[in-house]
Amino acid sequence: MGRSIFDTLKNHDLILRMLSDNLPDMLWIKDVEGRYLFANKAICDRLLMAHNTDEPIGKTDLFFATREREAHADKPQWHTFGELCFDSDKIVLQEQHPMRFEEYGNIKGEMVYLEVHKAPLYDDHGRLIGTVGSGRDITEQVLTKQALIAQTEKLDHQSNHDTLTDLPNRQLFQDRLTQAISRAKRSNTSFALFFIDLDHFKKINDSLGHDIGDQVIIEIAERLRRALREEDTLARIGGDEFTVLIEGCRDLKNLSTLAQKLIELIKAPITVTSHTLYVSSSIGISIYPQDAEDPRDLLKYADSAMYRAKDEGRDNFEFYTQEMTELAFERVVMETSLRIALAQEEFILFYQPKYNAATQSFVGSEALIRWGHSTMGIVSPAKFIPLAEETGLIVKIDRWVMNEAMRTYTQWYEAGLNPGTVSLNLSIKQLEQEDFIEVLQEAMQRHRFRPEWLELEITESQVMKNPEKSIRLLEQIHALGITLAIDDFGTGYSSLAYLKRLKVDTLKIDQSFVRDIPFDEEDSAIVNAIIALAQSLKLDVIAEGVETQAQLDFLLEHGCCHIQGYLTGRPKSADAIEELLRNGR
Ligand code: C2E
Ligand code: MG
Ligand code: MG
């Protein structure tokens, strides 16, 4: 009789082999240093690429990891299992309880996922002698799960986005709107909702077909996307309807500028196949919380504002509230009429006398512009200079002022009068024009105007916006023999280091500090400090806005004798100044 199965099973080694080598799971035993004491066939074949089950004995995973890397150097190199297993063994030895790991790594350059169980191993005396482990390939399950997640995400994206433009759809927009409301509520801020509708879009679809219509929508979506900031939510909520959430505190002026910009951008020609199309649009704007605090109302109000824009002739924007629209409109009208004013020379130049109060003599005047508006009457520069600065119209306006003042002053000098110097307020925008020096020289030549008759005023805040550049520019102007003054001094955070390097001759104390001297202690101290600063930098100092004798006395007492203000003379017409120069009053 041959050996019975029972005899065979008495050999423990053999039992272990039969069991372990015929199961699909990977099985192993390692000592505390991570060296294999036992490895079954599955781990040798699948993970270690060992030739037989004896090969791993005495070696660690790091040995096989290196071999794997070298053998597949041409394949993408994730981390190998060997390195990972080596680390998780250490954890098990430290924690001393069974653990489960999900690990992934390279096998022959392929990504494989394993589910691994490891447990600490003790001898008869309870001493820790190593680890025992099993591993199972779960790559297929993991990949299926990943595909499922991707599919769900895709479906989720599809149900929230418009298929044509991939922009958020109405549903997602409503979510974002609700979120924006809670954010704004929390941070006590406001935001705007734009409702954009293309004008006569139906005509394009009807006459050229839906394919072309679709291309137009895609192009417009792209233009809008590019023009907006990352944080603005742009959505397509209907055939030719887009909405935008503009969060963050943009004021009304910025909103109307943005609406205008979007309208222009949609209007630029669109080429589809052989057609060149022009699409205009109408925009309605509602504002949270001013107009409504509820998402439905905000959308409804923006929509109704959009219809009003259509009623007003399309190609236009409207705010939900009438007064907002009026304010925005006023600005547009103002800009247009400023342009007209310039073309039709509706500006008038006034001159305000500057005196040396110590000698009681007239030393010059500051040219101050006025707008002689046909219906509004005389408009103060405070009303239109900021807009002129913003739109760049200031450059032309200041050039007009320059010519007018030079012409007048030369006339006075040539008539034998002594009008001293004329101060011109110069916007930094003007200074920064490439041709400024040329234009200045050319104007002086044309009017036979001498540089020593001229003083240019530039405000402290404008100088300090770009001090290095100002230093260079002012140097060039100074070299022509023109004097320079810093206007509104004290309001613009000058750095003393820059001040020293600026080629200026005069500091002009801002009228806000002069107003309450000598009674306000703080202002008196500031005025005093500016005078002292000017003296130590060897600069001239002039106080503007001097209205009372008490102010003048204070200034004289502290060493500032040059003054300008209502006390000694309001801004006057050229004729009135000429009269003053001739007759002393
Ligand atoms: P600024 O250069 O600081 O001019 C002084 C302003 O103070 C003038 O206002 C003047 O009328 C006013 N003022 C003079 N004395 C007194 C006084 O005793 N009391 C009070 N309360 N005010 C006094 P204005 O003419 O309205 O000009 C305002 C600003 O507009 C000017 O401030 C200047 O920055 C700017 N500006 C005026 N004309 C021009 C110009 O031609 N070009 C440029 N770029 N800016 C100009
Ligand atoms: Mg000034
Ligand atoms: Mg000033």
Side-chain angles (χ1 to χ4, degrees):
M1 214 171 99
R3 280 156 63 103
S4 74
I5 181 98
F6 299 105
D7 291 331
T8 312
L9 287 181
K10 273 185 198 145
N11 182 338
H12 289 249
D13 247 13
L14 207 59
I15 299 173
L16 187 60
R17 272 290 149 220
M18 282 169 74
L19 262 177
S20 64
D21 286 353
N22 291 294
L23 287 172
D25 286 358
M26 307 170 198
L27 300 168
W28 64 88
I29 302 171
K30 292 175 188 165
D31 67 11
V32 286
E33 306 293 338
R35 285 183 294 247
Y36 280 95
L37 299 171
F38 171 85
N40 77 342
K41 195 166 170 331
I43 186 173
C44 289
D45 291 352
R46 294 277 300 120
L47 203 62
L48 305 179
M49 309 306 144
H51 307 294
N52 51 55
T53 50
D54 286 335
E55 197 193 343
I57 309 303
K59 299 190 178 84
T60 71
D61 282 312
L62 296 182
F63 170 84
F64 295 102
T66 313
R67 201 163 76 174
E68 160 84 16
R69 272 193 194 286
E70 282 166 4
H72 302 287
D74 55 323
K75 295 274 181 67
Q77 295 278 318
W78 304 90
H79 41 80
T80 59
F81 274 111
E83 287 142 5
L84 281 176
C85 289
F86 199 72
D87 288 341
S88 54
D89 286 347
K90 278 196 212 143
I91 299 172
V92 172
L93 289 169
Q94 208 169 9
E95 302 282 324
Q96 296 207 24
H97 58 76
M99 296 177 87
R100 176 184 177 276
F101 301 88
E102 230 172 74
E103 293 177 340
Y104 63 91
N106 268 24
I107 294 180
K108 296 190 196 166
E110 303 288 335
M111 180 69 87
V112 173
Y113 293 82
L114 291 188
E115 180 189 23
V116 176
H117 289 270
K118 292 186 175 179
L121 201 62
Y122 304 94
D123 67 8
D124 293 344
H125 308 287
R127 277 184 305 234
L128 185 65
I129 52 162
T131 56
V132 54
S134 72
R136 177 175 297 175
D137 189 336
I138 52 162
T139 309
E140 215 165 298
Q141 283 124 282
V142 171
L143 293 183
T144 313
K145 198 162 125 198
Q146 280 176 354
L148 218 87
I149 292 172
Q151 185 70 18
T152 319
E153 272 171 5
K154 197 171 150 203
L155 282 173
D156 204 39
H157 183 90
Q158 278 172 353
S159 69
N160 280 316
H161 289 77
D162 162 43
T163 38
L164 189 61
T165 59
D166 204 36
L167 288 176
N169 61 12
R170 183 182 281 269
Q171 188 183 324
L172 182 57
F173 180 76
Q174 259 150 359
D175 283 354
R176 298 261 177 96
L177 179 54
T178 311
Q179 284 163 16
I181 290 175
S182 25
R183 258 197 305 276
K185 204 172 270 171
R186 237 178 302 133
S187 57
N188 216 2
T189 51
S190 59
F191 69 86
L193 196 168
F194 278 28
F195 197 113
I196 308 171
D197 189 284
L198 306 183
D199 299 330
H200 304 298
F201 185 69
K202 199 170 167 297
K203 267 194 206 154
I204 295 182
N205 267 338
D206 289 350
S207 57
L208 301 172
H210 283 269
D211 284 351
I212 293 204
D214 283 355
Q215 290 311 308
V216 171
I217 293 289
I218 290 171
E219 171 63 24
I220 288 174
E222 195 44 46
R223 287 181 188 182
L224 291 173
R225 203 190 328 244
R226 273 200 304 262
L228 294 165
R229 300 170 308 173
E230 191 80 30
E231 59 267 35
D232 303 327
T233 298
L234 168 67
R236 180 178 178 224
I237 63 164
D240 62 346
E241 292 169 340
F242 296 90
T243 44
V244 193
L245 282 185
I246 290 137
E247 291 182 75
C249 187
R250 296 210 200 186
D251 62 16
L252 166 72
K253 203 173 61 203
N254 287 334
L255 288 175
S256 42
T257 312
L258 179 64
Q260 196 63 49
K261 181 174 149 195
L262 298 184
I263 288 173
E264 293 304 321
L265 184 118
I266 293 174
K267 226 190 314 188
I270 300 174
T271 313
V272 184
T273 56
S274 58
H275 305 277
T276 300
L277 303 165
Y278 298 86
V279 182
S280 69
S281 58
S282 304
I283 302 182
I285 306 169
S286 65
I287 294 171
Y288 172 93
Q290 196 172 310
D291 296 339
E293 297 191 22
D294 173 85
R296 281 225 321 272
D297 287 346
L298 276 171
L299 197 59
K300 195 169 78 192
Y301 291 168
D303 187 36
S304 73
M306 182 275 293
Y307 273 105
R308 263 214 328 275
K310 294 237 189 234
D311 285 346
E312 308 253 317
R314 300 183 155 83
D315 191 13
N316 210 338
F317 67 89
E318 286 274 341
F319 285 92
Y320 176 64
T321 51
Q322 200 61 40
E323 70 227 49
M324 289 284 268
T325 303
E326 274 163 20
L327 277 173
F329 184 65
E330 215 172 67
R331 187 187 130 89
V332 175
V333 169
M334 185 91 156
E335 190 181 330
T336 316
S337 53
L338 252 189
R339 282 181 204 279
I340 296 172
L342 198 58
Q344 298 186 348
E345 304 217 358
E346 288 175 4
F347 294 117
I348 312 162
L349 209 50
F350 273 25
Y351 301 85
Q352 184 175 33
K354 293 187 292 183
Y355 283 96
N356 180 335
T359 58
Q360 301 201 335
S361 50
F362 185 103
V363 291
S365 73
E366 174 174 6
L368 293 162
I369 196 170
R370 303 286 179 262
W371 180 4
H373 196 276
S374 54
T375 53
M376 290 191 278
I378 300 276
V379 182
S380 137
K383 285 228 175 88
F384 63 87
I385 294 284
L387 181 65
E389 291 257 3
E390 216 178 286
T391 52
L393 277 174
I394 192 72
V395 174
K396 283 194 176 144
I397 293 178
D398 277 353
R399 286 184 183 182
W400 177 85
V401 171
M402 190 158 87
N403 276 295
E404 181 64 15
M406 285 181 181
R407 190 178 58 77
T408 308
Y409 254 65
T410 307
Q411 238 173 36
W412 287 338
Y413 271 113
E414 289 183 349
L417 300 170
N418 187 9
T421 57
V422 63
S423 305
L424 302 182
N425 291 287
L426 205 66
S427 155
I428 194 82
K429 283 236 169 86
Q430 171 76 286
L431 256 177
E432 286 173 356
Q433 297 297 306
E434 292 277 331
D435 61 348
F436 176 68
I437 300 280
E438 253 169 76
V439 169
L440 182 65
Q441 281 180 306
E442 197 267 329
M444 289 198 289
Q445 239 168 33
R446 178 148 33 99
H447 297 292
R448 298 183 304 281
F449 182 96
R450 298 225 200 114
E452 63 268 27
W453 298 341
L454 185 60
E455 178 175 69
L456 295 179
E457 289 186 6
I458 174 152
T459 66
E460 187 185 21
S461 47
Q462 293 207 343
V463 168
M464 287 306 146
K465 255 186 220 156
N466 193 345
E468 286 297 341
K469 195 162 179 188
S470 302
I471 287 171
R472 265 179 283 126
L473 283 164
L474 297 185
E475 215 158 64
Q476 288 180 39
I477 297 172
H478 197 263
L480 299 176
I482 294 166
T483 43
L484 293 162
I486 299 194
D487 205 354
D488 302 348
F489 191 79
T491 58
Y493 309 103
S494 269
S495 130
L496 292 182
Y498 283 129
L499 203 57
K500 226 178 81 189
R501 290 170 56 206
L502 280 169
K503 277 270 185 284
V504 294
D505 306 272
T506 307
L507 300 184
K508 211 167 174 182
I509 308 173
D510 189 64
Q511 46 178 288
S512 61
F513 303 117
V514 174
R515 194 171 303 133
D516 295 325
I517 55 169
F519 308 107
D520 186 293
E521 262 179 50
E522 224 167 82
D523 286 350
S524 303
I526 293 173
V527 168
N528 236 337
I530 298 177
I531 297 171
L533 176 69
Q535 282 167 348
S536 66
L537 289 173
K538 302 204 168 43
L539 300 177
D540 222 338
V541 61
I542 179 166
E544 66 179 7
V546 181
E547 293 182 356
T548 66
Q549 188 63 40
Q551 291 167 343
L552 176 58
D553 291 343
F554 179 93
L555 290 162
L556 278 173
E557 192 187 318
H558 291 89
C560 170
C561 58
H562 285 138
I563 57 157
Q564 178 185 341
Y566 293 170
L567 178 69
T568 45
R570 290 186 174 254
K572 299 179 203 320
S573 67
D575 286 348
I577 295 284
E578 191 173 326
E579 177 72 18
L580 184 76
L581 292 171
R582 283 188 197 281
N583 306 321
R585 61 191 156 79

